[in-house]
Amino acid sequence: MSIGLEHYIVLSAVLFAIGLYGALAKRNAIAIMLSIEIMLNAVNIAMVAFSRFITPALLTGQVFAIFVMVVAAAEAAVGVAIIMAIYRGRSTVDPTEIDLMKW
Amino acid sequence: MGVDIAFWILAVVGVLAALAVVSLRDIFRAALALILCFLAVAGIYITLSADFLAAIQILVYVGAISILIILGIMLTREVQRGSPSNKFRIPAFLVAALFLGVVAYALFSTTWQVSTVEPLTPTTQALAGKLFGEDGFILSVEIAAVLLLAAILGAIVLVREK
């Protein structure tokens, strides 16, 4: 069986599920950021696969993937900055201990 | 045939690297596994004949974001404490498995209108036409520039010494 759309979407879903598990189950803010990056990459694979197999001449999915990369870069910069600011103030990056906005 | 073999190798490497990211206790090794996962995704883009995206995947993710994350790990000195799991480990696994099941069900119960048209190669010129040409995404490109500027300023303000 040759590689088709389903293979890529299953790969994308598996990567997204791994990232989802990591984002929910990790106790280190940096590890949660790594998981979120995996999820963004999984979404990009899905969009490029749809672009390749459904509308090969239009490339709209690839354009969307580029914008996802732009937003992911911005997210990574701001995320690392927030984690460093929290670490400076509280000497921890454990999200279960960062409960300033909980009541 | 060659593309099939490349897909399987890249998919297995990517999934194993992603599993390593969420299972390794050493956060620095998890970041290195994440770089391997990014490289596998770049290879997946090449098998999808998205050459420009593969190039910017390597430039932006492998080159920039991974360095940023490793810098974050170094500056927060959490390497010793590692990245343990919290008490929601089993519910998180169930949520991820449920998500995977729902996506697989939706995928295999839909009949996709797969086009037989050959994909464009190389894609760089066509993507430039899409992004900057008439009836393209030029407004989105300009908004993305403003977003990046805001992100840079926000990051500087957040980590600035008082």
Side-chain angles (χ1 to χ4, degrees):
Chain A
M1 182 181 173
S2 81
I3 299 298
L5 174 65
E6 285 85 359
H7 293 81
Y8 286 99
I9 305 302
V10 167
L11 170 66
S12 158
V14 168
L15 282 179
F16 194 92
I18 293 171
L20 186 62
Y21 167 77
L24 291 176
K26 281 297 178 182
R27 229 175 54 195
N28 181 332
I30 303 260
I32 291 173
M33 265 191 61
L34 302 185
S35 305
I36 290 172
E37 297 295 337
I38 294 177
M39 287 160 79
L40 288 163
N41 269 277
V43 172
N44 270 352
I45 291 176
M47 278 195 288
V48 179
F50 281 125
S51 167
R52 160 73 178 79
F53 286 103
I54 308 285
T55 58
L58 283 181
L59 291 181
T60 317
Q62 295 197 21
V63 172
F64 268 78
I66 290 174
F67 286 119
V68 170
M69 283 183 186
V70 170
V71 176
E75 174 260 348
V78 176
V80 169
I82 289 173
I83 291 170
M84 278 166 57
I86 288 172
Y87 183 76
R88 189 177 291 157
R90 302 177 72 92
S91 296
T92 180
V93 292
D94 187 345
T96 56
E97 290 172 27
I98 304 165
D99 49 6
L100 196 66
M101 294 175 77
K102 253 185 189 171
W103 56 282
Chain B
M1 192 61 209
V3 174
D4 292 11
I5 298 168
F7 171 81
W8 285 115
I9 293 171
L10 290 167
V12 168
V13 168
V15 169
L16 287 180
L19 282 174
V21 171
V22 295
S23 58
L24 283 176
R25 285 187 64 89
D26 187 340
I27 183 72
F28 187 75
R29 286 188 186 160
L32 293 182
L34 186 76
I35 296 175
L36 184 62
C37 184
F38 287 160
L39 279 172
V41 172
I44 291 286
Y45 290 157
I46 293 174
T47 67
L48 285 165
S49 60
D51 47 359
F52 183 72
L53 269 183
I56 62 170
Q57 167 87 9
I58 289 177
L59 283 175
V60 173
Y61 275 103
V62 181
I65 290 183
S66 54
I67 297 297
L68 194 64
I69 286 171
I70 288 174
L71 199 71
I73 293 169
M74 302 267 180
L75 288 176
T76 51
R77 276 173 292 172
E78 285 290 304
V79 182
Q80 291 85 10
R81 288 186 57 191
S83 72
S85 299
N86 61 15
K87 58 179 188 279
F88 296 118
R89 195 172 169 180
I90 291 163
F93 180 77
L94 288 179
V95 167
L98 184 71
F99 170 81
L100 189 58
V102 169
V103 170
Y105 174 73
L107 173 68
F108 289 112
S109 60
T110 310
T111 48
W112 300 100
Q113 304 284 321
V114 174
S115 168
T116 52
V117 180
E118 282 296 305
L120 295 170
T121 49
T123 56
T124 311
Q125 194 178 1
L127 273 177
K130 272 275 170 190
L131 283 173
F132 302 108
E134 289 283 313
D135 299 324
F137 292 83
I138 185 67
L139 180 65
S140 313
V141 173
E142 286 171 359
I143 292 172
V146 175
L147 174 76
L148 282 176
L149 179 66
I152 294 167
L153 290 178
I156 291 170
V157 169
L158 279 169
V159 298
R160 189 184 52 179
E161 298 280 352
K162 289 290 184 292

